[in-house]
Amino acid sequence: MRPLFAGVVWWFIGLVWAGAVQATPYLPASDNQVLERLRTRPADPAARELRALRNRLAQKPRDLQLATGLAKRYIEQGRLEADPRYNGYAQAALAPWWNAPHPQPPVLVLRATLRQSNHDFDGAVADLEQARKVAPADPQVWVTLALVRQVRGEYAEAKRDCLPLLHLSTELVAITCLGSVASLNGQAAESFALLERVLARSSTASAAEKLWAQTVLAEMAVRLRHPGLAAPLFKRALATGPDSYLLAAYADFLLDENRPQEAIALLKDHTRVDALLLRLAIAEAAVGAPEAANHRQALAARFAAARLRGDTVHRREEARFALELERQPAQALALALANWQVQREPADARVLLAAALAAQDREAARPVQAWLRRNHLEDARLAALDRQLGR
């Protein structure tokens, strides 16, 4: 196999992270309230690097290599700091090409990544299909396309888009891509075993490649109901590198395992990201922590602000908020149904089935139950809800 094109796995992290860290405006209660303690200091190497790139781009705003390099670094930094504002900075760096009908492939892939973060999946796929025609040997295009299709539950298409990676990228990247899809499509145990073997013999893989593979393996173990395998995989992945998507996945695992105190310890410093604040508030409510009420109110304000803006990106998190914290199953079901029209990951199915069960509206769950069976999706948590709902 050809050496990995630098940055291929970055796209996975950027892609899944972008959807996980959406944040909404929050109105402070008073002028004295501390909204945020900045983690990036001007003297930080990353801040210096971004400032230098920004200054160079200001001198040559139409320099494609500079602009795409800065946009990529913004998205990377946003992932590291769990700060979605960097997505806006990335878009600004791409301003000369943002509305162009046929920009160069690097711009198309970056634009697709940012578009999918706003749940503009059709726009993202259109950009990636265009990039695929112009640059069919670019593994970044195939990885990104496969992951967007996986988020939409289009597994056959996602597998097809992973296949070129077998000759365009490394074994670990190709098998992680294929295994991630196949594990959702009737081959969970086989995919776990294969990816585990490939990861074990990929000692020279980059940290980003390992992080992706470890995260996918941990999620497979959770779906297969192997908590003894999932826990160390999550910890290994967290030791490999910080990642908001991974934090959310591990927090969900801890909550499912009735370990809310560990979830609180994991997330107490990550309140800026809605998805992480939601899990923190759920964990705090579970133990009756005094911070639970404030965090619930903060979430309610953020979701209200999103609705005022017409922002629909947060429907899955808002559905879970309505179901688990507000105890409003009918509202949760309406949100989950609307969300299901846009994205179809196991978490989307889970909140919909749970809301339908709580609202005693089994008919609302039927299309999702049929979809699960049609795709042979193996997930112990979904299977339990499916059994409770009946057929």
Side-chain angles (χ1 to χ4, degrees):
M1 292 184 182
R2 287 170 43 168
L4 176 66
F5 184 85
V8 166
V9 175
W10 175 87
W11 293 110
F12 159 75
I13 295 168
L15 200 66
V16 295
W17 168 82
V21 300
Q22 291 296 311
T24 50
Y26 173 64
L27 188 64
S30 74
D31 292 341
N32 296 325
Q33 183 173 348
V34 177
L35 294 179
E36 178 181 0
R37 298 186 189 284
L38 297 177
R39 286 172 284 180
T40 302
R41 297 186 299 275
D44 283 348
R48 287 203 305 270
E49 180 195 359
L50 287 172
R51 188 166 56 248
L53 286 170
R54 194 166 55 243
N55 290 340
R56 289 174 60 193
L57 185 62
Q59 299 298 318
K60 299 178 179 178
R62 300 194 67 84
D63 187 314
L64 180 68
Q65 188 172 359
L66 271 177
T68 54
L70 179 58
K72 178 180 172 182
R73 281 292 294 115
Y74 273 139
I75 296 175
E76 288 175 337
Q77 197 62 27
R79 173 181 63 82
L80 292 172
E81 295 186 25
D83 188 343
R85 289 175 298 185
Y86 284 98
N87 281 358
Y89 305 154
Q91 181 174 337
L94 301 173
W97 305 274
W98 186 259
N99 294 314
H102 304 292
Q104 294 85 341
V107 174
L108 285 167
V109 178
L110 281 162
R111 192 167 71 179
T113 300
L114 294 170
R115 281 180 164 171
Q116 76 81 37
S117 75
N118 291 320
H119 286 196
D120 178 9
F121 295 116
D122 289 339
V125 169
D127 276 348
L128 293 165
E129 288 286 7
Q130 188 182 156
R132 179 178 61 82
K133 293 175 183 174
V134 179
D138 185 346
Q140 292 183 353
V141 173
W142 294 106
V143 169
T144 313
L145 194 50
L147 290 167
V148 171
R149 295 198 194 282
Q150 182 176 317
V151 169
R152 300 197 334 169
E154 299 167 351
Y155 299 136
E157 294 84 351
K159 284 181 187 174
R160 182 198 63 199
D161 295 332
C162 290
L163 286 174
L165 296 170
L166 289 168
H167 60 88
L168 293 175
S169 188
T170 64
E171 180 185 34
L172 183 58
V173 167
I175 297 303
T176 305
C177 187
L178 283 165
S180 179
V181 180
S183 73
L184 297 168
N185 199 209
Q187 296 176 293
E190 299 89 338
S191 299
F192 182 92
L194 176 60
L195 182 54
E196 190 177 40
R197 288 198 302 273
V198 172
L199 177 60
R201 64 178 178 239
S202 301
S203 58
T204 59
S206 70
E209 291 173 45
K210 292 178 181 175
L211 175 60
W212 183 20
Q214 289 162 350
T215 303
V216 169
L217 276 172
E219 292 186 312
M220 288 184 194
V222 169
R223 290 197 296 272
L224 288 167
R225 196 67 188 98
H226 292 317
L229 294 175
L233 283 165
F234 275 125
K235 290 179 180 177
R236 283 173 57 195
L238 284 169
T240 301
D243 185 85
S244 294
Y245 177 88
L246 177 60
L247 285 172
Y250 187 37
D252 282 341
F253 168 76
L254 294 172
L255 290 169
D256 285 341
E257 292 298 308
N258 195 28
R259 295 157 60 180
Q261 289 289 7
E262 292 175 65
I264 291 171
L266 180 73
L267 301 178
K268 61 184 175 60
D269 296 324
H270 299 279
T271 58
R272 177 169 28 193
V273 180
D274 296 352
L276 300 184
L277 180 59
L278 171 65
R279 289 157 174 84
L280 176 61
I282 291 170
E284 290 169 340
V287 299
E291 297 86 358
N294 286 339
H295 285 155
R296 191 172 75 179
Q297 290 173 6
L299 280 166
R302 293 186 190 187
F303 290 133
R307 286 195 298 276
L308 286 174
R309 292 198 313 275
D311 182 347
T312 59
V313 169
H314 310 272
R315 279 174 174 159
R316 179 168 76 192
E317 285 71 31
E318 190 174 2
R320 191 169 172 186
F321 172 75
L323 180 64
E324 298 189 40
L325 291 175
E326 296 291 273
R327 307 297 180 191
Q328 297 290 336
Q331 181 187 355
L333 180 57
L335 288 162
L337 286 167
N339 175 64
W340 186 252
Q341 301 307 310
V342 179
Q343 59 178 8
R344 299 187 173 187
E345 295 186 279
D348 302 303
R350 183 179 180 181
V351 71
L352 196 157
L353 295 184
L357 189 63
Q360 300 182 5
D361 187 351
R362 284 172 163 73
E363 287 306 309
R366 299 302 182 219
V368 180
Q369 291 177 284
W371 184 87
L372 294 176
R373 282 187 276 279
R374 190 164 61 249
N375 286 287
H376 309 288
L377 201 155
E378 300 165 74
D379 186 319
R381 301 160 303 182
L382 290 175
L385 287 167
D386 187 39
R387 285 193 296 273
Q388 291 179 69
L389 285 159
R391 299 188 181 186

